[in-house]
Amino acid sequence: MEDRLGAGPRSALDGCGLDAGRDWNGDVRELATGRGWFRVAELAATFLVFAGVMHFLYAGKANIPFEDRGAPGHDSFYHIKMAALMPDIGLPDTFPWLRTTVFNETFVNHHYGFQWLMSFAVRLSHRWTGDYAAGGRWFTTVSFGLSMALFHLLLMVRGIQRRWLWMALCLLLPSQFYGRHLFVRAIDPSLVCMLLLCWCMFTRRWLAGGIVVCLSIHVYLGAVIYAPLLVICVVVAGALVTCSELWTTHATWQDGRLREIRSDLCRIAAATFAGWVVGLWTHPYGGTAAIEFLNLQVFGSGLSPDIEVGQEWESYSPAWFFVEMSGITLTVAASAILLRLCAGRRAGVGEVATVLMQLVFLILTMKARRFIEYWPLFATLSSAYLAGPLVDRIGAMIVESRTIRRHAVVGLLCAWGVTGCVLLGRRMAVHIPMEFVREWRWWTMLVGVAAIIPMARAGSDSRGIASVIRTVAAWAGVCGATAIIIRQLAGPRTIEAAELTVPWWAFVISAGVLASFRVAGGITVSGSGVSHDKLFVLRRWAMTVACTVLLIGVTAVPAGALLGHMQSESRCQYDLPAIRTVMAVLEADSEPGDVVFTDDWDIFPVYFYLNHRSHYIVGLDPKFSHQKDPVLWERYVRISRGETPVTRSVTVMEDGKPMVKRIHVRLADIRDHFHAKYVIVDRDHLALAKKLLEMPAFATRLYPASASGDDRPAYQLFRILPESSGAGRPSQPATGAEPVGDGGG
């Protein structure tokens, strides 16, 4: 277990059989990278750092009451509410809350596992704070930290020594990567499952890989597609490496190394396929219904829609926006490939597989922007696998050099680099939000946590008190430099009071943990018989601290701009107090199960979150309503836009053939076709509100009161009057459609 967790390549999958286990760090490699508990501590530090980043992004709402902070994104509220209801309603086969969708009669909850995992946090937060949404934010924070810890584990598996360099690059991933991961959705649990599957494949844990595939399908049904994509990338990579061996060497099919690769790939394919079948078969919504739903979700709504769908399924336009947003990630990925081509060894199966993975997700991202939630991390993983050994070799040459002149040059360059970063940061201060700068204590604490293991690893073999003092002093210097650099980014602006509390004892505990690690002496450095004299130790410490501070200085400016802006954009886009007021009026006037006509399909989650007594018309995805009844969907589109009365042509399928029908859409269809008793309209659909106000015999406004004097209220609630009033009665039959031709005409 210890070798597989942290040592270099140990399998054909990671070294292509030719040079598996080759040490690319010369004589300076760590002895098995330390004891197991040191590696666990490093993973724990990674988890804390990136959970802290996510906590920062969720913060910045001190002026908003806790119960009104909500969560970013539309669907977040749906998942939080379903997690809260799941212990009570179980796994429903129908979804009565959406009357005109395919879910109303046959419900496929493709997120049931994710919602079940989140239900404990959601209910706990409601008991402690009275707010369900806080539990969703907690769960997302923990899931994101776990995904980054698994990313770090994959770097350990590869034997990469300068791991925190690549983790720092993760702070510079595209803004929409972090924006997507702020949503309370199955994105983070799905990423955790994918990274865990990669770890199983790269460490030859076939049975565990099959179990992960099975469980990932239960967590998120989309794993039916994602898991095979990852496995196919590994199998194709193995085939490419095998063919390369046959073409460029004198190896034969019976060669032991190639036979090992084939055996590994066959076991991977068999175990994961078995897990895929078992997962789909045991899924409570599995079988034909699940396959039909995935076909509708992925192709009908996602990759080849025939109606207007959510923006997340659209491609980036213009494409240059994607290039600008992902500039650092793209540059690092391209540079890693070039470095490997110019100065690296032949790529192994693991390296080729990560390249294929990032290419697959890049293609998906260019087709639908929602896949930005996965591609950047796989691109960084591929870059680390390709260029990591070379970067480690260069770093070892710098840090472990015994030449004073080389140390002096590197130290001078580091000093110039830090000074340049600070000056650039002050010049760009207006572009770095104060939301980032004012939390300088928070960032200092996270850097201190991240630096514990690197500082412990940089210590000498000595376990004396001098070594402990030197280690803690160097760590304190790194923390102090971090505080100075971030505070300088404020420029002439006044630093506001921080919103995230950082107690002084957090730094004391971190220093104590570092000191205990040095006393334990669990991580030593092999010097190949070279005496570690005092001057050599001091030079190595100076280079370690200088390079660490330089990394912080280089990262601070772009990360500050990115994370600061992301925090300001991550707030809930809904006016929760206003919606809560409308829902209170609705609940007081209605009966459970009354149908509410909403003015847009994406507003359903927040209404459902605040009021699940009522039922609604459309939601979650417009294709779910269009698939069930294209005629009714067309009525909804025209009514919600205030385009009534109007006659429209709609293409429907009858007996397997397309037929065009003409329908006459009237405002009264709200009552006669949708059977709605209430209508909620926001200020983005004032045309519909105007139509309702112009027909007092058909609808009466319950909220706001007519005497309020607000001509553009945030939300308006109307009650639809009974048909006996005679208002707006349609002149056509209930079907409201007549055939005018078939085919396309």
Side-chain angles (χ1 to χ4, degrees), residues 417-465:
V418 173
T419 303
C421 291
V422 172
L423 294 177
L424 177 62
R426 290 182 63 85
R427 189 173 184 84
M428 296 180 59
V430 294
H431 302 290
I432 299 178
M434 287 301 296
E435 287 85 355
F436 176 83
V437 179
R438 71 187 179 194
E439 305 297 344
W440 61 272
R441 294 182 183 84
W442 182 259
W443 299 116
T444 302
M445 182 190 68
L446 293 184
V447 169
V449 171
I452 290 177
I453 297 300
M455 289 294 106
R457 184 175 287 125
S460 67
D461 292 337
S462 173
R463 302 186 189 184
I465 187 65

Side-chain angles (χ1 to χ4, degrees), residues 622-642:
K623 188 60 182 178
F624 297 161
S625 294
H626 179 267
Q627 179 73 12
K628 182 176 181 179
D629 192 336
V631 172
L632 202 59
W633 171 252
E634 183 64 23
R635 291 185 186 279
Y636 173 78
V637 171
R638 300 307 147 196
I639 293 173
S640 63
R641 295 178 180 178

Side-chain angles (χ1 to χ4, degrees), residues 20 27 50 58 139-140 174 185 228 378 488 609 676 684 690 699 722:
D27 293 327
F50 283 92
Y58 277 131
F139 184 83
T140 302
R185 298 175 60 171
F378 279 97
Q488 289 299 313
Y609 172 75
D684 293 333
K690 182 179 179 182

Side-chain angles (χ1 to χ4, degrees), residues 509-727:
I509 292 177
S510 299
V513 172
L514 175 60
S516 65
F517 282 176
R518 283 307 308 133
V519 170
I523 298 181
T524 58
V525 178
S526 172
S528 187
V530 179
S531 175
H532 286 176
D533 57 85
K534 185 177 298 184
L535 183 61
F536 170 75
V537 171
L538 292 177
R539 287 200 303 264
R540 187 176 63 201
W541 268 114
M543 287 298 98
T544 300
V545 174
C547 292
T548 302
V549 173
L550 177 61
L551 176 62
I552 295 170
V554 171
T555 307
V557 174
L562 169 66
L563 298 178
H565 285 296
M566 283 307 304
Q567 189 200 65
S568 61
E569 296 176 2
S570 65
R571 304 183 181 185
C572 175
Q573 61 264 51
Y574 296 114
D575 186 351
L576 294 183
I579 300 177
R580 193 174 283 112
T581 302
V582 173
M583 290 302 168
V585 176
L586 175 61
E587 290 187 24
D589 193 79
S590 65
E591 298 293 333
D594 283 350
V595 179
V596 180
F597 186 97
T598 57
D599 57 7
D600 211 338
W601 64 269
D602 58 7
I603 197 69
F604 162 75
V606 68
Y607 289 170
F608 175 63
Y609 172 75
L610 294 174
N611 174 22
H612 69 280
R613 292 175 69 255
S614 302
H615 294 176
Y616 303 90
I617 299 296
V618 298
L620 299 181
D621 196 305
K623 188 60 182 178
F624 297 161
S625 294
H626 179 267
Q627 179 73 12
K628 182 176 181 179
D629 192 336
V631 172
L632 202 59
W633 171 252
E634 183 64 23
R635 291 185 186 279
Y636 173 78
V637 171
R638 300 307 147 196
I639 293 173
S640 63
R641 295 178 180 178
E643 300 175 355
T644 56
V646 66
T647 300
R648 300 286 298 180
S649 298
V650 183
T651 301
V652 298
M653 298 297 294
E654 291 190 1
D655 299 328
K657 296 181 180 180
M659 173 174 280
V660 176
K661 291 187 174 182
R662 295 185 67 83
I663 61 174
H664 187 64
V665 184
R666 299 163 56 95
L667 193 64
D669 292 347
I670 294 176
R671 179 188 60 213
D672 300 319
H673 291 285
F674 293 95
H675 309 293
K677 294 184 178 181
Y678 298 90
V679 179
I680 301 180
V681 185
D682 64 17
R683 59 166 54 101
D684 293 333
H685 296 78
L686 293 180
L688 173 58
K690 182 179 179 182
K691 294 282 186 181
L692 292 169
L693 290 172
E694 290 174 350
M695 300 182 63
F698 174 69
T700 181
R701 189 167 72 173
L702 299 178
Y703 177 86
S706 301
S708 64
D710 188 358
D711 58 346
R712 288 180 58 88
Y715 298 93
Q716 300 181 60
L717 173 63
F718 296 86
R719 182 199 300 130
I720 303 300
L721 301 178
E723 187 176 4
S724 59
S725 64

Side-chain angles (χ1 to χ4, degrees), residues 315-327 330 362 365-367 369 372:
S315 59
Y316 284 104
S317 180
W320 186 248
F321 169 76
F322 169 77
V323 175
E324 288 182 326
M325 177 183 63
S326 310
L330 288 171
L362 178 59
T365 303
M366 299 309 296
K367 174 61 179 176
R369 62 182 65 187
I372 194 71

